[in-house]
Amino acid sequence: MNEAAGIYAGKDRFEARKLVVEALGREGLLLKAEEHQHAVGHCYRCKSVVEPFLSEQWFVRTKPLADRGVQAVREGRIRFVPEQWTHTYYQWMENVRDWCISRQLWWGHRIPAWTCAACGHITVASEDPSACERCGASTLAQDEDVLDTWFSSALWPFSTLGWPDKTPDLATYYPTSLLVTGFDIIFFWVSRMIMMGLEFMDDVPFREVYIHALIRDERGQKMSKSKGNVVDPLDIIDEFGADALRFTLAALTGQGRDILLGRSRIETYRFFMNKLWNASRFALMNLEGAPEGSLDPEDPLRLPDRWILRRSREVAKETTAHLSGYFYAEAARGLYDFVWSELCDWYLEMAKPALRGEEGEGRRRATQKVLRQVFRTTLLLLHPFIPFVTEELWEAFGFGARPMDQERWPEDPVNGDEESGPEMGLLQEVVRTLRNLRSEARIAPSQTVPSAQVVIPGEGRRQVVEDHKDLACLLAKVDHLVVLPRGDKPARSLVTIAPDFAAYLEVGSLLDVEAELRRLEGERAKLAKDVELCEAKLRDEKFLSRAPEEVVCKERDRMRDGKLRMARIAENLESLR
Ligand SMILES: [Zn+2]
Ligand SMILES: [Zn+2]
């Protein structure tokens, strides 16, 4: 208790309370004592009961500073990404209160205020004063309090660059370009840096503020030690590698959404690291003894070469655009699909005959050059996401002596070979269709189908498939492909009618056709019953009114899928007979 407590001064608060009750009782002033519950403040650290205590503190009048801060954002001199956080910022700034900046702590910047022992005047100065500014006495004592840590942090954008001195660093790097931070300190830190920057530097501290996502567990719960759902990045790095973790975070960073992080997701992207690694090893093996030098117009390129070269330029352009807009997930997924599907599943497969020399020495050399160029671009684009793996591969390819982050970012203009996209699309569609027919006929992946036929009325399209039927055969595992402008269905074959063509897979010699017909009949009969049941349910008023929406939806889907499958079976039955 302090001196205001009179005879109780110096006593512990709990002891003083007892003494007060006793004194009241002694004088006959106490009516009764009873227990009642009420809210009492507790220390957040040691949980002891805290008592209100009036004291003098230092405040900053914040309104004028906040007005300038709001204006800077309204005028577009600072941009929040995602944009929704602008409203959070305005809400804080427009309802701002004076800011208590003094703290009774040991560590921190001491408050620059000195009290005169002679006259009591307070001198505030940026340099330590030697005398009281009012009476000239030299008996000055500096305030014991320190500044709120957010006050010191608010000076960070310029104090780190040498301010208040006018250093070359300050002139070069202020204002900075980008601040990356979490939404929970938009007011504590971001807004204070803006206010201080405008006040002391007369300019904004940064042009853009990227508010990053919060990481939660796979089911969307906040990670906490007590729940036991914390994913420790160091464990993840030990198990999956730093690049797999980094790529996963980028791929899951959708703007304005939390990241739901679990081991299975990281595992998925670890497979991607393996895929890239193996594809690179394949390329390196095939580049042994290859001449240096880039492509020239005389090099004999085929459709897949022209296509993958153009695609790599397109992907570079898209990645650049995504990264410029802070769309990390879109950038990462674009690269993932390009490497996994277009480069590995399609291009490398189609390049194999040429790399084996089956298309002649000129084709082998040209394909090697394409490989080098595409891998060079791909590794550069992936470098910001997976720096360790790409740096390692970069060296293995011998792409340059400099570290990758000093290389030029790929930005070749996307021009030429416009037709390669649609043409390659057609070739891929033919391959996919033949593959689907194979799996419908349940032909083992290792088995080669002797013969297939593709009917394409359009002459240009037909020529594309005709020119590349060696590649279609290779990828669809077909021995002999006939490409015709028109034609009848070959006997005992399965058929698909696509918008641009009809494809026939001749399965008569591979399949016990009679047994297959029986199997299809059986499946159709079973489906017919199933569809009938669904229809009955969907006619039932009681079911419709009582069942939850998603159950009704499921039933409709089942009926539609069943009917589609039945139609397909009818086609197959007809074409096999
Ligand atoms: Zn405490
Ligand atoms: Zn004085």
Side-chain angles (χ1 to χ4, degrees):
M1 308 303 293
N2 65 13
E3 62 282 0
I7 57 167
Y8 304 106
K11 296 221 182 304
D12 176 87
R13 55 186 162 162
F14 297 114
E15 196 190 338
R17 282 177 199 169
K18 267 189 219 145
L19 294 173
V20 168
V21 174
E22 277 171 28
L24 287 169
R26 258 199 320 275
E27 310 206 2
L29 298 170
L30 188 68
L31 287 180
K32 62 174 176 177
E34 62 177 23
E35 300 221 335
H36 66 106
Q37 286 196 332
H38 61 133
V40 178
H42 286 73
C43 169
Y44 76 95
R45 241 185 223 171
C46 69
K47 313 291 178 216
S48 58
V49 174
V50 293
E51 309 291 344
F53 179 76
L54 291 181
S55 63
E56 286 194 318
Q57 301 292 333
W58 292 92
F59 282 81
V60 168
R61 182 172 299 126
T62 317
K63 184 86 172 66
L65 300 171
D67 287 345
R68 287 187 74 186
V70 167
Q71 199 190 355
V73 175
R74 284 212 196 285
E75 287 169 359
R77 284 186 284 148
I78 299 174
R79 189 170 78 95
F80 280 84
V81 181
E83 207 239 325
Q84 70 198 70
W85 295 111
T86 315
H87 306 296
T88 308
Y89 171 79
Y90 286 150
Q91 239 163 35
W92 278 109
M93 295 295 259
E94 281 160 3
N95 298 293
V96 80
R97 294 195 208 166
D98 287 343
W99 174 16
C100 174
I101 53 162
S102 45
R103 293 289 182 275
Q104 292 71 55
L105 301 170
W106 191 253
W107 295 104
H109 291 136
R110 259 177 100 178
I111 303 243
W114 286 261
T115 307
C116 172
C119 75
H121 177 74
I122 294 172
T123 305
V124 175
S126 52
E127 301 286 333
D128 291 12
S130 54
C132 169
E133 62 186 358
R134 189 204 271 164
C135 75
S138 59
T139 46
L140 297 175
Q142 188 174 358
D143 202 293
E144 295 280 312
D145 289 357
V146 297
L147 290 166
D148 176 12
T149 182
W150 294 113
F151 188 99
S152 304
S153 308
L155 310 174
W156 191 86
F158 43 91
S159 65
T160 50
L161 297 172
W163 178 88
D165 298 334
K166 288 192 164 62
T167 63
D169 277 355
L170 191 61
T172 309
Y173 297 114
Y174 194 93
T176 64
S177 52
L178 170 71
L179 173 77
V180 179
T181 192
F183 74 90
D184 47 346
I185 50 177
I186 288 177
F187 177 66
F188 290 117
W189 196 33
V190 180
S191 73
R192 265 96 179 243
M193 283 193 281
I194 293 173
M195 291 191 284
M196 294 296 200
L198 290 167
E199 176 67 20
F200 293 115
M201 297 296 299
D202 204 26
D203 201 351
V204 294
F206 29 71
R207 307 286 186 203
E208 288 180 298
V209 182
Y210 179 78
I211 302 295
H212 61 66
L214 209 68
I215 298 182
R216 296 173 179 274
D217 78 1
E218 254 166 324
R219 285 168 301 158
Q221 302 218 41
K222 224 175 161 168
M223 288 189 187
S224 76
K225 272 191 184 153
S226 55
K227 276 189 220 149
N229 61 349
V230 175
V231 177
D232 185 335
L234 292 178
D235 293 343
I236 295 295
I237 289 170
D238 280 344
E239 195 177 340
F240 299 102
D243 279 358
L245 175 62
R246 191 178 164 102
F247 194 88
T248 307
L249 292 177
L252 299 179
T253 300
Q255 273 191 14
R257 279 203 306 269
D258 290 341
I259 295 177
L260 308 187
L261 188 67
R263 308 181 75 78
S264 64
R265 286 166 184 269
I266 303 162
E267 204 161 28
T268 305
Y269 292 108
R270 203 256 313 264
F271 291 141
F272 178 60
M273 304 299 123
N274 293 347
K275 185 87 174 174
L276 177 69
W277 189 263
N278 291 336
S280 300
R281 282 201 358 189
F282 170 82
L284 283 165
M285 261 163 39
N286 283 284
L287 286 173
E288 260 173 46
E292 299 283 321
S294 48
L295 283 159
D296 61 67
E298 266 80 75
D299 283 316
L301 297 184
R302 294 185 74 189
L303 171 60
D305 305 310
R306 288 183 284 114
W307 168 74
I308 199 72
L309 286 168
R310 184 179 161 92
R311 279 298 296 144
S312 71
R313 294 195 296 269
E314 283 173 351
V315 169
K317 195 177 164 192
E318 287 157 14
T319 306
T320 307
H322 286 144
L323 288 179
S324 311
Y326 307 112
F327 294 105
Y328 300 111
E330 287 77 359
R333 284 188 209 146
L335 287 166
Y336 179 96
D337 291 341
F338 174 70
V339 170
W340 196 289
S341 167
E342 297 182 309
L343 180 57
C344 293
D345 289 352
W346 291 101
Y347 182 70
L348 291 184
E349 290 305 317
M350 288 186 169
K352 278 177 180 172
L355 290 169
R356 284 195 296 260
E358 291 168 16
E359 297 174 7
E361 192 52 22
R363 278 286 300 140
R364 194 163 80 94
R365 295 269 181 250
T367 308
Q368 285 172 328
K369 287 181 183 175
V370 175
L371 266 191
R372 279 184 67 85
Q373 189 162 324
V374 171
F375 269 90
R376 191 179 190 284
T377 304
T378 306
L379 291 180
L380 281 172
L381 294 175
L382 282 168
H383 187 61
F385 301 92
I386 47 172
F388 297 108
V389 170
T390 47
E391 191 80 58
E392 189 79 20
L393 292 172
W394 186 261
E395 231 183 279
F397 275 100
F399 282 144
R402 283 186 299 182
M404 284 184 83
D405 55 9
Q406 290 172 24
E407 287 291 336
R408 277 179 59 87
W409 183 250
E411 41 195 354
D412 294 328
V414 180
N415 52 27
D417 294 326
E418 287 86 357
E419 74 297 340
S420 65
E423 288 183 3
M424 187 69 182
L426 173 66
L427 194 59
Q428 288 172 317
E429 199 48 41
V430 167
V431 170
R432 264 193 292 263
T433 304
L434 292 173
R435 282 175 174 169
N436 285 345
L437 287 172
R438 287 179 61 107
S439 79
E440 263 190 278
R442 295 182 303 163
I443 293 168
S446 57
Q447 175 126 41
T448 302
V449 176
S451 178
Q453 182 177 307
V454 182
V455 173
I456 311 179
E459 198 191 330
R461 291 203 187 91
R462 186 168 65 250
Q463 199 56 49
V464 169
V465 179
E466 179 66 40
D467 289 347
H468 303 92
K469 64 182 185 182
D470 56 322
L471 301 176
C473 283
L474 177 75
L475 267 71
K477 253 186 175 292
V478 169
D479 246 350
H480 190 62
L481 181 67
V482 183
V483 184
L484 297 169
R486 68 192 75 80
D488 294 327
K489 182 185 88 65
R492 311 223 133 179
S493 57
L494 290 175
V495 58
T496 291
I497 310 292
D500 292 332
F501 59 87
Y504 304 93
L505 193 71
E506 292 168 35
V507 294
S509 60
L510 297 171
L511 221 57
D512 178 346
V513 173
E514 295 310 319
E516 182 64 9
L517 288 172
R518 278 197 302 280
R519 189 184 71 81
L520 289 173
E521 288 286 8
E523 192 184 342
R524 180 160 72 167
K526 200 169 151 287
L527 280 168
K529 261 187 204 156
D530 214 41
V531 167
E532 210 173 293
L533 273 173
C534 287
E535 279 176 332
K537 263 192 190 169
L538 290 168
R539 274 195 308 268
D540 182 355
E541 294 294 333
K542 264 192 216 154
F543 170 77
L544 289 176
S545 60
R546 283 185 199 163
E549 178 76 18
E550 69 262 26
V551 173
V552 177
C553 261
K554 233 186 197 166
E555 213 60 33
R556 283 213 183 92
D557 287 351
R558 234 174 93 190
M559 184 177 76
R560 199 201 47 221
D561 292 348
K563 281 184 169 168
L564 281 174
R565 176 76 192 133
M566 278 171 71
R568 181 66 194 148
I569 288 176
E571 279 171 18
N572 284 349
L573 280 170
E574 197 187 324
S575 57
L576 279 176
R577 276 186 182 121

